[in-house]
Amino acid sequence: MINIVLFGKPGAGKGTQAEFLKQKYNLVHISTGDVFRFNLKNDTLLGKQAKEYMDRGDLVPDELTIKMLQDEIEKNTEATGFLFDGFPRTIAQAEALDEFLASKNWDVTATIALEADDEILIKRLLERGKTSGRVDDQDESKIRNRYEEYNHKTAPLIDYYTSKNLFYSVNGIGTIEEITRRLSLIIDDFIDK
Ligand code: ADP
């Protein structure tokens, strides 16, 4: 069982890399952003509850997010590993993930961050917003709010995982293939063990 947390600011390329990594390592990819957007589109109760936060670029409250994540894991208990993309984003979420994985005798194998400069990322998101249809990518003030949320609530996870010796980071600037290679070098090390 290998469980990888892909970490990084909005626009860092987590989703793009996840598409390659999930195939290469046969992992179940759970993107909390994608699951929320699916619920929004289908107007489910969870979608209704998450909408106002997502529209503002705020994090959805932990309670809702953690419950949703646990449900996604439960749907895939036969998996040989998970790739978490966009989760955890708060210390409470990280603690809940540890606890939940431990209840199944699993754990987080590694957290890998994709690093890139804020101004480059903001430009990328505005570009993505032109075609993705994502309202949160079309307005610079919403994007900046997501960075505020990241700095306040998500950045503390770097220390959380560093203190457990689980934190790795790679340069997120380069071609998609180059970055996949950088991530693979780290993951391969865990597979050989
Ligand atoms: P990005 O990484 O580009 O900000 P995501 O698709 O990961 O985009 O997330 C979109 C939105 O979904 C976030 O701004 C937030 O409102 C909500 N969201 C996703 N993951 C989480 C999470 N782990 N905790 C709280 N809210 C989340």
Side-chain angles (χ1 to χ4, degrees):
M1 189 79 183
I2 62 166
N3 295 308
I4 305 292
V5 173
L6 263 190
F7 188 86
K9 293 175 180 172
K14 301 185 290 294
T16 304
Q17 291 301 326
E19 288 304 314
F20 291 97
L21 297 177
K22 74 175 181 192
Q23 287 196 348
K24 183 161 183 191
Y25 297 104
N26 192 25
L27 304 172
V28 171
H29 173 210
I30 302 180
S31 157
T32 42
D34 285 351
V35 180
F36 279 133
R37 278 186 290 278
F38 176 85
N39 279 277
L40 226 66
K41 208 170 116 208
N42 291 287
D43 207 23
T44 65
L45 176 62
L46 177 64
K48 288 190 192 30
Q49 289 167 322
K51 186 176 186 331
E52 56 171 312
Y53 301 99
M54 292 180 72
D55 283 351
R56 281 198 300 263
D58 287 345
L59 290 184
V60 176
D62 283 334
E63 205 189 331
L64 280 180
T65 308
I66 290 167
K67 171 78 176 53
M68 182 268 265
L69 194 274
Q70 291 178 344
D71 290 347
E72 291 299 312
I73 294 176
E74 289 294 359
K75 285 183 206 162
N76 293 286
T77 47
E78 301 300 309
T80 52
F82 288 93
L83 186 57
F84 297 105
D85 159 9
F87 187 96
R89 282 193 183 180
T90 63
I91 296 279
Q93 291 179 16
E95 289 171 347
L97 180 65
D98 283 343
E99 235 175 79
F100 194 66
L101 292 178
S103 75
K104 304 199 173 295
N105 280 323
W106 299 338
D107 55 13
V108 170
T109 309
T111 297
I112 316 177
L114 288 168
E115 306 276 4
D117 176 77
D118 282 10
E119 295 308 313
I120 293 179
L121 294 180
I122 290 169
K123 278 203 198 101
R124 273 195 199 170
L125 289 179
L126 286 167
E127 272 306 308
R128 180 169 87 182
K130 288 181 190 164
T131 52
S132 70
R134 279 182 56 170
V135 280
D136 61 342
D137 283 346
Q138 288 166 14
D139 173 335
E140 189 159 340
S141 69
K142 286 183 187 174
I143 292 176
R144 295 214 178 257
N145 187 46
R146 277 149 69 202
Y147 281 81
E148 289 279 304
E149 289 280 84
Y150 173 89
N151 289 329
H152 283 119
K153 298 178 183 168
T154 309
L157 290 176
I158 298 172
D159 284 345
Y160 180 87
Y161 285 116
T162 301
S163 71
K164 294 174 182 279
N165 284 323
L166 293 175
F167 191 79
Y168 299 81
S169 75
V170 304
N171 178 358
I173 303 295
T175 64
I176 292 176
E177 297 76 25
E178 272 164 1
I179 297 165
T180 309
R181 222 171 299 132
R182 290 173 197 152
L183 292 164
S184 299
L185 278 176
I186 296 173
I187 299 174
D188 286 343
D189 241 16
F190 289 101
I191 289 177
D192 293 342
K193 273 180 192 163

